[in-house]
Amino acid sequence: VSLVWPGFNGPVANANQQRFLLEVLAGQWDRALTAAQMPKHVSGAIKQSPPLWQQMLQAVDAIVENQSDQAKLGVMAPRLPPAVEDLRYAGLRAWGLTQVRLKRLVKRPPDQRLVALLSVAFSCLHRSYRADPIVVDQAVQAARALGREPAVRFTNGLLRRVLSDSVASAADLAHPMARFNAPDWWREKLVQEWGADQATKVLAEGQGRAPFCLRLLGGATEQAQTLLGLQSMGLEVCLDEHDEAR
């Protein structure tokens, strides 16, 4: 199957490389990394990845930048490494959850960078990005890198408190602000304009994942084989009018 390997000049002909891409598309990273024979420059990049706490800090900077006046003016942010972009995106998606938990557990909210770090950490805990103790440890190291020891104690205590009370943590996730990742004023505005039922549908749709578009090179037979492979992994795949798998 003629799939394109990132940074590799030519189609992917190696069966292990094809399996790697298919496993990645199915979200099976562990299986992909152990089963595939990756090009040296790709495997080297993975081995040289910075520790999670440093990636968290990069995501924090990106989130703060995303909320800056420059971003509001449409200034493009610099390109981020994929792992950092993933943390940034997930942190922004957990922003509403972070506000709910801060309101419940904290009398005075911390500064913007620490809030961004907590949002990244909450997103990691919620989706089991790493084992809980690792997430807490790496978030604490990131807080220490911010240069304030009180921030270290605050981050460690807050994350452990959330983990120790599963009932309250589950209730946080059910809160409308966390569920829809939208502030009260925005939800109220949608209800006024669309009604409660339609507003709920609009907000819920905003929490769904956008389709992933994949361009397949090669003939119809090769494309059909690739589609069957993706569908066998439980992925919903269809062809658009330009014959690109989506």
Side-chain angles (χ1 to χ4, degrees), residues 66-122:
N66 191 84
Q67 298 173 334
S68 67
D69 292 337
Q70 292 292 321
K72 295 176 183 178
L73 293 174
V75 178
M76 294 294 292
R79 187 178 181 86
L80 298 170
V84 176
E85 178 62 41
D86 176 60
L87 291 171
R88 182 197 72 88
Y89 174 78
L92 287 171
R93 299 282 282 192
W95 194 258
L97 173 63
T98 303
Q99 306 307 311
V100 170
R101 285 180 172 164
L102 287 176
K103 185 176 182 179
R104 177 171 68 87
L105 298 171
V106 179
K107 294 182 179 180
R108 198 169 93 184
D111 63 46
Q112 187 180 25
R113 284 170 61 81
L114 196 53
V115 173
L117 175 59
L118 289 170
S119 194
V120 172
F122 286 146

Side-chain angles (χ1 to χ4, degrees), residues 156-172:
N156 183 56
L158 187 63
L159 293 178
R160 291 184 182 280
R161 187 173 176 183
V162 167
L163 289 173
S164 66
D165 192 344
S166 59
V167 175
S169 296
D172 292 338

Side-chain angles (χ1 to χ4, degrees), residues 11 69 98 113-114 144 153 173 177 205 224 228-229 232 238:
D69 292 337
T98 303
R113 284 170 61 81
L114 196 53
R144 180 171 288 110
R153 296 193 297 270
L173 292 169
M177 185 180 295
E205 190 68 24
L228 287 175
S232 68
C238 62

